[in-house]
Amino acid sequence: NEAFTAVRQAYRQIERAQDVTAIQDPGPEAMLVDPLLPAGVPSVLYGDADSGKTWVADALMIYGAMSRRFPASHGAAGYRSLLIDYEGSEAIFWRRMRRLALGMNMDGLPAECIYYWPARGVPVGDMLDGLARTIRDRAIDLVIVDSAAEACGGEPEKADTATSYFRAMAALGVTSLTVAHITHLEAAPGKRPQAPFGSRFWRNTPR
């Protein structure tokens, strides 16, 4: 309609250029988990099947929860995490987290620190409103997506698919970690994987 068109045109005409001398020194780069996860930007964890990627991601969720409960012993303020899951189920997630907790001699999983979102095949970009509301209401600091191919809503090999996915993640406004697979060539014995499966933007866009 005319009102929407007028607002869109006005938005596109906003002057955004800044003199570099007017930009305040932001200080050192902020890290949610030093040195693994820069705060407020997307990261990608990629590797071959059964290489432990999901366990690493789950361990980061446990670490954030433990740091919230015992900040003095962990040297960090901690964070709340949300897993958007395309590959497992609520039961599988619970069992993994329980095993990690037992391995860390925890009596149980801490409440209001770790959250689970069953994606059920719906691309991240199609769930932004609900995700944004949950992130706001639960004060989520870290969103983990497992995994990229199912979450992106298109063909991972195409640049548009990758860039659209990262735009959707940026719209959530929090630190994110996306778990991704690699090609058969990258998984060859003795070869160090250089990039996740799909467009080069899966490697070039995140930190």
Side-chain angles (χ1 to χ4, degrees), residues 46-187:
Y46 56 90
D48 198 7
D50 300 321
S51 60
K53 303 182 297 297
T54 297
W55 285 100
V56 171
D58 289 346
L60 287 170
M61 300 180 80
I62 289 279
Y63 175 78
M66 290 298 295
S67 298
R68 281 190 61 81
R69 289 183 63 180
F70 309 107
S73 61
H74 286 74
Y79 49 87
R80 295 183 178 91
S81 304
L82 171 69
L83 172 67
I84 305 174
D85 189 17
Y86 290 84
E87 297 204 342
S89 66
E90 180 181 289
I92 293 173
F93 177 66
W94 185 90
R95 293 187 189 104
R96 284 200 310 263
M97 300 305 288
R98 180 60 177 162
R99 289 170 184 169
L100 286 169
L102 290 173
M104 298 174 66
N105 294 319
M106 296 170 59
D107 295 331
L109 295 171
E112 299 182 350
C113 291
I114 298 171
Y115 295 90
Y116 178 81
W117 182 292
R120 298 190 177 95
V122 181
V124 165
D126 293 341
M127 300 187 293
L128 285 182
D129 290 343
L131 287 169
R133 184 165 54 252
T134 295
I135 289 169
R136 181 187 66 245
D137 294 347
R138 306 287 187 179
I140 300 296
D141 304 293
L142 171 64
V143 170
I144 295 176
V145 179
D146 192 4
S147 62
E150 293 85 350
C152 66
E155 299 178 46
E157 302 92 335
K158 294 185 176 180
D160 287 348
T161 299
T163 54
S164 294
Y165 172 79
F166 285 115
R167 282 197 298 270
M169 297 306 297
L172 296 177
V174 294
T175 306
S176 68
L177 176 66
T178 300
V179 177
H181 298 285
I182 59 176
T183 66
H184 291 299
L185 291 176
E186 291 288 340

